[in-house]
């Protein structure tokens, strides 16, 4: 249910809770992997969208808006260095 709603964090938590009752349950483990994959894909898409919007703003010399988009990208993936390099 949570997985279908793309509520990945809560889906992962629920399946991990299920594993405490039925350790090594194949279905729960598969659903955790599915949720983690979905969460990563969603983060990748959001990150790339922010970078594309930031790059477009830079080309249009809208530096304030570009900085905002780079900042948002950094929030999505804090360990990535590209937004920080362009974040002024």
């Amino acid at each position: 249910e949570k997985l279908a709603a793309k509520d990945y964090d809560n889906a992962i938590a629920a399946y991990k809770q299920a594993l405490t009752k039925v350790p090594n349950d194949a279905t729960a483990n598969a659903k955790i992997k599915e949720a983690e994959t979905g969460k990563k894909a969603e983060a990748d898409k959001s990150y790339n969208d922010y970078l594309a919007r930031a790059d477009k703003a830079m080309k249009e010399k809208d530096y304030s808006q570009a900085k905002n988009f780079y900042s948002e990208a950094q929030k999505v993936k804090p360990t990535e260095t590209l937004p920080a390099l362009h974040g002024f």
Side-chain angles (χ1 to χ4, degrees):
E1 179 177 316
K2 289 177 183 2
L3 187 57
K6 296 185 178 183
D7 185 1
Y8 299 117
D9 289 331
N10 285 323
I12 291 167
Y15 287 116
K16 284 184 176 181
Q17 178 65 31
L19 285 175
T20 66
K21 296 176 182 176
V22 184
N24 300 318
D25 180 68
T27 300
N29 281 320
K31 292 294 185 178
I32 289 169
K33 183 149 182 82
E34 182 181 341
E36 288 171 343
T37 299
K39 182 178 176 178
K40 183 183 181 315
E42 195 171 88
D44 288 347
K45 182 184 180 320
S46 180
Y47 177 79
N48 289 330
D49 286 349
Y50 280 125
L51 288 184
R53 293 167 76 184
D55 290 345
K56 182 177 185 276
M58 287 291 285
K59 287 178 186 169
E60 295 171 353
K61 298 186 187 309
D62 186 351
Y63 301 118
S64 175
Q65 189 68 4
K67 182 177 179 179
N68 289 337
F69 287 134
Y70 285 125
S71 177
E72 290 301 315
Q74 188 74 49
K75 289 177 189 174
V76 173
K77 289 191 173 185
T79 60
E80 291 291 328
T81 58
L82 182 63
L85 293 173
H86 289 89
F88 307 93

